Amino acid sequence: METDRKCPHRAINPATRIRTDPALNCSCTGSRMVGFPVAVVLPAGGSGERMGLSTPKQFCDFLDRPLISFTIEAFERINWIQNIVVVVAKECIDLMKTIIHKYSHKRITLVIGGQTRHRSIFNGLKVFTDSQVYDSKLTKPEVIIIHDAVRPFVEEDLLLKIATAAKDHGAAGATRPLVSTVIATTSEGCLDSSLERAKYRASEMPQAFLFDTIYQAYQQCSDCDFEYGTECLQLVLQYCGSKAKLIEGPPTLWKVKFKVFLTSAELSKCSVSESLSQKACVITGVQQDAVQLAHCLEKTLLTQLMVEVISTPVGEEVSCIQNISSKEYRNIIYVIVNDTDLQEIKQLVESIGNTSLPILYPVVVIMVHLNKSESMPFSNNMDELGAIRLLAKEAKQKNILVYGLLVNYPKDTEKWNDAVANVCLIAGTLIKDRNAVLAGQLFVA
Ligand SMILES: Nc1ccn([C@@H]2O[C@H](COP(=O)(O)OP(=O)(O)OP(=O)(O)O)[C@@H](O)[C@H]2O)c(=O)n1
Ligand SMILES: O=P(O)(O)OC[C@@H](O)[C@@H](O)[C@@H](O)CO
């Protein structure tokens, strides 16, 4: 089998000229793997008192979806994380099961939490060691990530650094610079001393540990640690002598603590989703008709968003994906002519899923099917085109929203211009709305 000249990890099918899946650690496609087993525990067993709401904050809606579902999804899309243990209060188990079912979350193991965060985390760890108690078949990981379920904005890059650092150092944790100076007060409520801010950091999540290290620390914990402690890194230092490696994370690491955080999270997500809809790339092969349509779209869509046309000869898909990923295009219009075989669009979706593009925000892929054959109306191809629904369902798991848009290629110029205007209207709306419910639908321009 011929191998890809740009990517020795990949083979090319001589018949279809389509590449096989990327190999492990293939930087060309952005897919990552780590050389040791990793799992994650998401403590979600709190009551969220500081939020002052009847519903615990992890289950509060955030952009019409429970906050915890975003956090779980951020980990589901990372292929080197083998298991996701979600720790919830006993009274929330059924609610959590409903969320898992509604949003088709995978690789989830539910565990009942404890009265405090440390007790919940320890319960989450026990699922890997007390299989008879927890009736689980989970394999103990070498490295365990611990991440508050109320921190939805977590990215693969940071998780990879934290997990790798934990493997090397025994423990690792994300930090952020202090915003305010920390001062100590006297019993009378007066200033006692002020800490030198440059020497301190805010401890955030994710954190990661050699599983045996954090487990031993919890086995030695005092009741006081379990009741009042908030810092896992301190436990492994105190009980195992492990000095955690500290890694500064991005500003989006913050945790939802008070009601205002939910609003600011929505605002930050809404403002980002506005910016997500401002640029798109139109990908075509080298067929003249597709290139012509692409340039018409570029000109007509210019009033709504910045468009780049990428005409990719067969065999150049990898560099095309690198181009899309490096320029952070999260709106892709893919033009195919007369071809109802969805293999190309499937390959494109798979390659996008291997990049970090869809981790936080959905990527929109619109398959524009240009039908030139007057003798072959769409109705003849509806079965093949209908397959887009299954493709879209699978793509949604990767936070990629796939839509179909059918265009007949009329000879008449006026009708052609009308068709182009309709493609722009529909594509512009799909990009702006990013409506997951419409994914897999076929629109006709
Ligand atoms: N007994 C507990 C308490 C907290 N947590 C989880 O630990 C994370 C961080 O804790 P925190 O922000 O303190 O959550 P709450 O305890 O719910 O908040 P509050 O202190 O306002 O009650 C949250 O995902 C929370 O659900 C947990 O799993 N079990
Ligand atoms: O919200 P609190 O500050 O009480 O607790 C923070 C903890 O949940 C935890 O996220 C950090 O201590 C980092 O380990």
Side-chain angles (χ1 to χ4, degrees):
M1 179 81 88
E2 179 192 355
T3 55
D4 181 348
R5 58 188 169 77
K6 284 192 172 178
C7 170
H9 309 119
R10 302 162 66 93
I12 299 175
N13 183 324
T16 63
R17 306 293 305 155
I18 285 173
R19 286 169 174 71
T20 55
D21 288 348
L24 303 186
N25 258 331
C26 164
S27 55
C28 312
T29 61
S31 73
R32 299 185 182 89
M33 298 299 277
V34 291
F36 46 88
V38 181
V40 63
V41 169
L42 301 178
S47 57
E49 279 169 32
R50 286 172 286 184
M51 286 289 279
L53 299 171
S54 56
T55 308
K57 57 190 175 182
Q58 56 272 31
F59 300 116
C60 284
D61 265 8
F62 164 57
L63 295 177
D64 300 330
R65 189 168 144 194
L67 181 67
I68 192 168
S69 181
F70 285 98
T71 312
I72 291 174
E73 189 177 343
F75 284 90
E76 275 182 306
R77 282 195 303 277
I78 300 176
N79 54 17
W80 47 267
I81 290 183
Q82 293 170 339
N83 297 103
I84 302 168
V85 176
V86 181
V87 188
V88 298
K90 189 172 186 178
E91 62 271 20
C92 296
I93 286 281
D94 289 344
L95 171 57
M96 193 62 237
K97 285 178 179 174
T98 307
I99 293 170
I100 290 168
H101 177 73
K102 181 174 180 183
Y103 295 98
S104 310
H105 290 308
K106 300 284 185 286
R107 311 202 310 272
I108 309 294
T109 299
L110 277 187
V111 169
I112 293 176
Q115 283 306 306
T116 66
R117 177 170 170 268
H118 275 328
R119 292 191 190 286
S120 292
I121 292 170
F122 193 23
N123 286 358
L125 297 176
K126 287 176 189 170
V127 81
F128 295 100
T129 55
D130 300 357
S131 51
Q132 62 276 21
V133 170
Y134 286 89
D135 186 27
S136 81
K137 308 278 180 296
L138 300 187
T139 312
K140 188 179 83 169
E142 185 165 351
V143 167
I144 190 77
I145 294 170
I146 298 173
H147 185 76
D148 292 334
V150 290
R151 294 172 184 267
F153 303 117
V154 60
E155 302 214 7
E156 182 175 4
D157 287 343
L158 178 63
L159 287 164
L160 197 55
K161 287 177 191 165
I162 295 275
T164 308
K167 172 88 166 60
D168 298 339
H169 298 267
T175 64
R176 285 291 303 156
L178 283 181
V179 175
S180 309
T181 301
V182 178
I183 53 179
T185 63
T186 63
S187 50
E188 297 79 40
C190 298
L191 177 67
D192 178 55
S193 61
S194 160
L195 292 181
E196 190 188 332
R197 195 163 71 182
K199 285 177 61 181
Y200 295 86
R201 297 287 180 277
S203 176
E204 304 291 350
M205 289 285 190
Q207 296 176 350
F209 306 82
L210 285 175
F211 184 91
D212 294 338
T213 301
I214 184 69
Y215 195 79
Q216 284 161 24
Y218 271 118
Q219 285 178 314
Q220 299 170 58
C221 257
S222 67
D223 281 344
C224 181
D225 291 319
F226 273 121
E227 286 312 306
Y228 305 107
T230 62
E231 188 45 79
C232 303
L233 301 179
Q234 173 60 22
L235 297 181
V236 295
L237 176 61
Q238 187 171 340
Y239 295 105
C240 306
S242 241
K243 281 198 171 187
K245 177 72 178 169
L246 302 179
I247 297 170
E248 184 167 321
T252 51
L253 264 195
W254 46 267
K255 177 173 93 163
V256 172
K257 213 176 265 193
F258 305 106
K259 215 181 295 180
V260 66
F261 278 56
L262 267 187
T263 320
S264 41
E266 287 192 351
L267 288 178
S268 66
K269 205 161 170 82
C270 289
S271 63
V272 173
S273 63
E274 273 303 304
S275 65
L276 291 181
S277 315
Q278 285 165 6
K279 65 180 186 178
C281 65
V282 182
I283 302 177
T284 72
V286 290
Q287 312 98 322
Q288 190 49 40
D289 304 315
V291 174
Q292 182 202 354
L293 173 59
H295 286 298
C296 290
L297 296 180
E298 181 186 20
K299 202 165 56 182
T300 315
L301 277 169
L302 213 50
T303 53
Q304 297 174 57
L305 43 106
M306 190 276 287
V307 174
E308 177 182 354
V309 174
I310 304 173
S311 295
T312 310
V314 173
E316 293 300 319
E317 291 82 1
V318 173
S319 54
C320 171
I321 289 297
Q322 284 173 328
N323 189 0
I324 292 172
S325 188
S326 61
K327 293 179 181 174
E328 298 218 327
Y329 280 124
R330 286 188 170 84
N331 304 301
I332 293 144
I333 300 173
Y334 192 79
V335 183
I336 50 178
V337 182
N338 279 356
D339 181 1
T340 52
D341 173 13
L342 300 183
Q343 187 52 36
E344 281 184 39
I345 197 93
K346 198 169 183 176
Q347 185 77 29
L348 174 72
V349 166
E350 201 164 305
S351 302
I352 294 167
N354 287 331
T355 70
S356 58
L357 277 174
I359 286 181
L360 264 183
Y361 305 102
V363 173
V364 166
V365 176
I366 301 170
M367 178 194 79
V368 175
H369 172 83
L370 187 54
N371 178 42
K372 278 204 66 182
S373 50
E374 283 162 17
S375 60
M376 282 279 283
F378 288 132
S379 51
N380 289 43
N381 308 325
M382 284 317 279
D383 288 349
E384 296 93 329
L385 291 169
I388 194 170
R389 287 176 62 82
L390 178 62
L391 166 60
K393 188 175 178 196
E394 290 161 2
K396 212 187 283 187
Q397 293 304 315
K398 299 175 182 173
N399 211 18
I400 300 168
L401 305 176
V402 178
Y403 308 94
L405 182 45
L406 311 178
V407 194
N408 270 315
Y409 192 146
K411 290 276 180 273
D412 173 87
T413 306
E414 194 178 328
K415 283 184 181 169
W416 169 249
N417 293 338
D418 191 39
V420 170
N422 283 335
V423 170
C424 293
L425 188 66
I426 295 166
T429 306
L430 292 173
I431 288 170
K432 187 172 179 306
D433 292 354
R434 314 183 91 75
N435 189 327
V437 175
L438 296 178
Q441 296 303 312
L442 286 173
F443 299 86
V444 182

